[in-house]
Amino acid sequence: MNHFLPWHLDTAHAWLNQRERFAHAWLLHGEAGIGKLDFAIAAAASLLCETPQNRLACGHCIACGWFASGNHPDLRRIRPEAVAVAEGAQNSESDEAQAPTGSAGKRAPSKDIRVDQIRSLESWFNTATHRGGWRVALLYPAQALNTIAANALLKVLEEPPAHTVFLLVSDAPDRLLPTLVSRCRRLPLAAPRADIALQWLQGQGVKQPEQWLAAAGGTPLSALRLSQKQDEPCPGWLGQLLAPLALGQRPDVGNLTEILEKVAAAEWLDALQRVFTDLVLAAHGLPVRYFPALADAVACTAARVQSVRLADTANWLSSQRALAGHTLNPKLFIHATLQRVALALGPV
């Protein structure tokens, strides 16, 4: 995608109007799911375009053609191997070096940005740009930089190469080295208003956009991805969990465990964390945020549970995220988690 999303277009125009006195490194940050990477990609295309229209990429020049095909010699993407694999990346000139030769198949793709990926850019920095314009290094997510890689990048930014712009994208700038952040100009990107997000989701063919947007916490790209993965905004098993609890009864944990065995651990844990956020909100007389379809069941359940139990269980669920990817017995993990939730929300 080489176009700015509609809610970021005004920001892009104002920002790109400074390009004659552009900073050498920018940290693009904001909430997950609002389109920061889309902004960075469209920004890179605009900076590399040879005949920009109103500062934005024209889409027709030679540079835009190279960019669209993923072969622009003045662009490098620096991201973890796991992200590159998920994106279906091919080995092209615009991609950074990936796994060392001979390592394929011997280890899982790295989830970190490694120091050799930063060092592999040195020869690129030391050559002239192919079209006499900008050189763009797109790095995401910046919080994936391991400590050694972050320090290597810091050294580069202390003496930045000429005609080069670094675009760092991050959901969590507080997890970056403070010294690295200090070398960047920050560009915060905002989430769109609900009406704009809903209009965009409708344009993407999403049915029940209000429900999907709520389930994603108000972030439209997350809502779109969620609608492509799930059949309904509110997973049916959540209703099966809360319906008896709202009546002061025990849910069928065994049956729910069988259902969740087919669901990724991170996915069902995320849903549980979101419903606990709704429960805490309801306990304080506030409207639910994520699952409006369960509002009545959430309100009834929250009314019979002490707030401290809700908060304790919500914190406990957060701690379980660390176990989700490498539990030795997934079925036992699911059952134990649901049992803990049922005990916290059920009758004393």
Side-chain angles (χ1 to χ4, degrees):
M1 185 175 184
N2 299 342
H3 303 288
F4 291 100
L5 292 163
W7 52 90
H8 287 153
L9 198 53
D10 289 344
T11 300
H13 280 300
W15 179 61
L16 288 168
N17 275 332
Q18 312 171 41
R19 61 187 295 174
E20 283 79 11
R21 53 185 188 281
F22 232 43
H24 65 271
W26 292 88
L27 175 59
L28 313 179
H29 61 94
E31 194 174 355
I34 62 171
K36 297 183 300 301
L37 181 56
D38 299 87
F39 185 100
I41 292 172
S46 299
L47 290 170
L48 294 171
C49 177
E50 296 177 355
T51 56
Q53 305 296 311
N54 195 19
R55 302 288 184 173
L56 307 185
C58 69
H60 306 298
C61 67
I62 292 175
C64 284
W66 285 348
F67 194 99
S69 64
N71 290 312
H72 200 298
D74 293 328
L75 172 70
R76 289 290 185 275
R77 294 182 187 236
I78 306 98
R79 76 277 210 211
E81 291 171 4
V83 173
V85 170
E87 293 175 347
Q90 301 297 318
N91 185 21
S92 69
E93 284 186 89
S94 62
D95 285 318
E96 82 291 352
Q98 293 295 323
T101 304
S103 68
K106 294 184 181 179
R107 59 176 175 82
S110 174
K111 294 182 180 180
D112 291 342
I113 295 175
R114 308 179 319 275
V115 66
D116 56 294
Q117 293 175 272
I118 304 300
R119 289 172 178 165
S120 70
L121 299 172
E122 290 179 7
S123 60
W124 183 59
F125 293 147
N126 292 325
T127 58
T129 59
H130 282 65
R131 305 292 289 185
W134 291 102
R135 179 190 292 116
V136 179
L138 178 56
L139 188 149
Y140 60 95
Q143 63 267 21
L145 283 159
N146 63 34
T147 303
I148 300 174
N151 280 305
L153 179 61
L154 177 61
K155 290 181 180 179
V156 173
L157 296 185
E158 286 173 345
E159 297 182 22
H163 310 297
T164 302
V165 174
F166 290 83
L167 300 178
L168 282 66
V169 182
S170 179
D171 300 333
D174 56 316
R175 289 169 53 190
L176 300 177
L177 283 178
T179 47
L180 184 59
V181 174
S182 70
R183 294 291 175 181
C184 302
R185 288 278 299 278
R186 296 180 68 149
L187 182 64
L189 297 175
R193 298 196 319 263
D195 58 333
I196 295 174
L198 290 172
Q199 184 179 9
W200 182 79
L201 286 170
Q202 288 172 337
Q204 303 301 309
V206 176
K207 294 180 170 52
Q208 297 180 294
E210 298 88 353
Q211 298 280 338
W212 288 110
L213 190 62
T219 55
L221 270 73
S222 296
L224 178 62
R225 286 191 288 267
L226 204 59
S227 72
Q228 293 167 342
K229 284 173 37 179
Q230 297 178 188
D231 295 329
E232 50 189 348
C234 179
W237 62 267
L238 266 185
Q240 295 179 45
L241 174 67
L242 283 180
L245 289 169
L247 300 173
Q249 302 169 0
R250 297 283 187 187
D252 187 345
V253 170
N255 180 57
L256 288 168
T257 299
E258 297 292 333
I259 294 171
L260 292 185
E261 273 195 285
K262 305 178 183 68
V263 182
E267 187 176 324
W268 61 258
L269 269 172
D270 182 68
L272 280 177
Q273 287 184 277
R274 288 172 186 252
V275 85
F276 263 83
T277 298
D278 282 352
L279 285 162
V280 171
L281 289 170
H284 290 85
L286 300 172
V288 300
R289 179 181 183 185
Y290 293 109
F291 301 117
L294 296 178
D296 291 342
V298 165
C300 290
T301 303
R304 64 176 72 248
V305 181
Q306 293 180 346
S307 296
V308 66
R309 288 169 65 191
L310 290 175
D312 286 347
T313 309
N315 289 334
W316 180 82
L317 283 171
S318 296
S319 70
Q320 299 309 292
R321 293 300 292 261
L323 305 175
H326 51 77
T327 177
L328 296 178
N329 190 326
K331 187 172 184 177
L332 182 60
F333 178 62
I334 295 167
H335 191 277
T337 303
L338 292 176
Q339 192 70 23
R340 171 75 179 257
V341 168
L343 287 171
L345 301 180
V348 180

